[in-house]
Amino acid sequence: MNWYPWLNQAYRQLISMYQEGRGHHALLLHALQGMGIEALSYGISRWLMCQNKQGLKSCNECHSCRLMLAETHPDWHVISCEKGKSSIGIEVVRKITEKLEHRAQQGGARVVWIKDTQALTEAAANALLKTLEEPPENTYFILNCQQPEILLATLRSRCFSYHLASPNLEQAAHWLHQQLASSTYADSITALNLSQGAPVLALSLLKDEWQERDTFCQALYGSLQQHNLYALLPQLNQDNAEKRLYWLLSLLIDALKLQAHAQAYCVNQDRQPLIIALSQLPSSVLLTVIDGLKTCRHQLMTIPSLNKELLLAEQLLDWERQLAVSR
């Protein structure tokens, strides 16, 4: 599992707490997607399981370490959504808690790692509460989530909460350039901005979707020049329409920032000509279009079986009507 430099401080802080006897048996780690929280959770798990710890590091040589490296340790329990499912049910939790009633197979620590705590159903979360409150000896829980505020308050109260903050922009941009030397500084900053500062997510965007975004931005610029926003429909009506709407919204909001002479805070630092073109639109039109697109995106993300093409077409035609009225 890949390790990332911005995890070092968090790892040292948390492991030091366990070394000093202040470590909590239930650790709730929350961070944005793309921060590498899985690597941090695995690293802490390895240290807790190691039978011959070397200060802040696991030894990598004992039997437990070898089992952890092979991801076959019988006392390391990983809970995540099963393939094709978006939630973790009560039966999964019950199976783990039943295993914890027996002695550890290797005679050392046991770790339960819940990869997506938000996916626990209410019944599953409630089933976990008693074990979190009265855990078996030498048993630790590591819970990952992106939005701790949506978890049951009773669940949060039984954990030590730790927020893994995004690294500073310069550090993250430097790391991105090391991973992908072909990306420009403006590309790296924009990818980080679009990823809320999460470097791993930004790297994925640069590697897998940057050309797609480039084509989308060119199509938007052409539609503006031709005064034909409806022509953008084929670019929006894609499987990842929600993401494309997010790109579009970020550009429109950047146009408002430019109008307010706050271009230093623009998200899309690599798209200055496009932002300038959008900033020529009246601010009243930009605000109305932004509101409509935000509602459209929310509907696509939360309401199943919507006619996506019709909904997107309506937004683009409404944008054209707004422009016609403002002229």
Side-chain angles (χ1 to χ4, degrees):
M1 189 173 292
N2 292 331
W3 187 259
Y4 307 105
W6 57 88
L7 300 179
N8 291 336
Q9 182 180 0
Y11 177 83
R12 286 194 295 267
Q13 287 178 341
L14 292 167
I15 295 301
S16 294
M17 290 172 61
Y18 287 107
Q19 283 182 315
E20 296 164 7
R22 298 183 294 110
H24 201 281
H25 69 272
L27 178 62
L28 177 61
L29 296 174
H30 50 102
L32 293 169
Q33 179 188 358
M35 279 295 297
I37 199 169
E38 299 86 358
L40 179 61
S41 300
Y42 175 72
I44 294 170
S45 296
R46 277 183 56 182
W47 188 88
L48 290 169
M49 305 289 275
C50 180
Q51 297 168 339
N52 187 26
K53 298 175 178 63
Q54 308 293 314
L56 292 172
K57 297 181 180 180
S58 47
C59 72
N60 295 331
E61 296 178 358
C62 69
H63 186 55
S64 281
C65 279
R66 290 197 296 270
L67 289 172
M68 286 295 290
L69 288 168
E71 298 189 7
T72 57
H73 201 301
D75 297 320
W76 184 52
H77 307 287
V78 181
I79 298 178
S80 59
C81 292
E82 295 178 4
K83 189 174 181 180
K85 293 186 178 181
S86 59
S87 62
I88 301 170
I90 189 171
E91 289 304 320
V92 176
V93 173
R94 280 177 175 167
K95 286 180 182 177
I96 295 297
T97 53
E98 286 172 5
K99 288 182 180 179
L100 297 179
E101 292 174 1
H102 306 287
R103 293 177 60 86
Q105 293 191 39
Q106 295 297 311
R110 293 181 293 190
V111 174
V112 178
W113 176 20
I114 304 178
K115 284 190 171 184
D116 188 1
T117 309
Q118 294 166 193
L120 290 170
T121 64
E122 186 173 350
N126 281 318
L128 185 64
L129 289 178
K130 183 171 176 57
T131 309
L132 286 179
E133 190 169 6
E134 300 176 7
E137 185 180 359
N138 209 15
T139 300
Y140 301 91
F141 293 83
I142 299 177
L143 297 83
N144 295 169
C145 73
Q146 294 180 38
Q147 297 175 287
E149 65 275 8
I150 71 173
L151 300 178
L152 291 177
T154 46
L155 181 64
R156 296 198 308 269
S157 68
R158 287 163 171 78
C159 302
F160 175 80
S161 185
Y162 186 94
H163 175 234
L164 179 63
S166 302
N168 69 64
L169 207 57
E170 292 300 323
Q171 179 189 5
H174 177 69
W175 179 82
L176 278 177
H177 185 68
Q178 288 180 318
Q179 308 305 309
L180 198 65
S182 59
S183 65
T184 65
Y185 181 76
D187 286 347
S188 296
I189 295 298
T190 300
L192 286 164
N193 288 339
L194 288 169
S195 305
Q196 287 77 53
V200 181
L201 195 60
L203 180 61
S204 175
L205 175 59
L206 286 168
K207 281 184 173 181
D208 304 330
E209 298 174 311
W210 210 240
Q211 184 57 53
E212 185 180 333
R213 175 178 168 274
D214 181 64
T215 302
F216 174 81
C217 289
Q218 290 182 29
L220 174 58
Y221 191 82
S223 295
L224 285 170
Q225 298 301 308
Q226 297 163 20
H227 305 289
N228 181 11
L229 278 308
Y230 184 75
L232 191 63
L233 182 59
Q235 279 295 321
L236 281 176
N237 188 29
Q238 300 287 332
D239 290 340
N240 64 343
E242 297 87 351
K243 180 169 287 188
R244 288 168 179 252
L245 284 171
Y246 172 65
W247 294 342
L248 177 55
L249 282 164
S250 71
L251 289 160
L252 292 168
I253 294 170
D254 279 350
L256 285 174
K257 293 174 185 174
L258 188 59
Q259 290 180 351
H261 307 290
Q263 53 266 39
Y265 298 98
C266 285
V267 167
N268 300 275
Q269 294 290 329
D270 64 331
R271 291 289 163 184
Q272 293 302 313
L274 177 54
I275 295 169
I276 291 171
L278 286 167
S279 71
Q280 304 308 306
L281 305 180
S283 58
S284 59
V285 171
L286 288 173
L287 288 167
T288 302
V289 172
I290 287 169
D291 284 344
L293 292 174
K294 285 170 67 177
T295 300
C296 174
R297 184 170 183 264
H298 179 72
Q299 290 173 331
L300 290 176
M301 294 173 68
T302 58
I303 304 174
S305 305
L306 277 178
N307 188 324
K308 180 171 61 178
E309 183 175 6
L310 184 62
L311 191 62
L312 293 169
E314 181 183 4
Q315 293 300 315
L316 294 172
L317 290 172
D318 185 62
W319 189 351
E320 289 190 355
R321 284 193 293 271
Q322 292 288 330
L323 287 176
V325 169
S326 68
R327 289 194 187 105

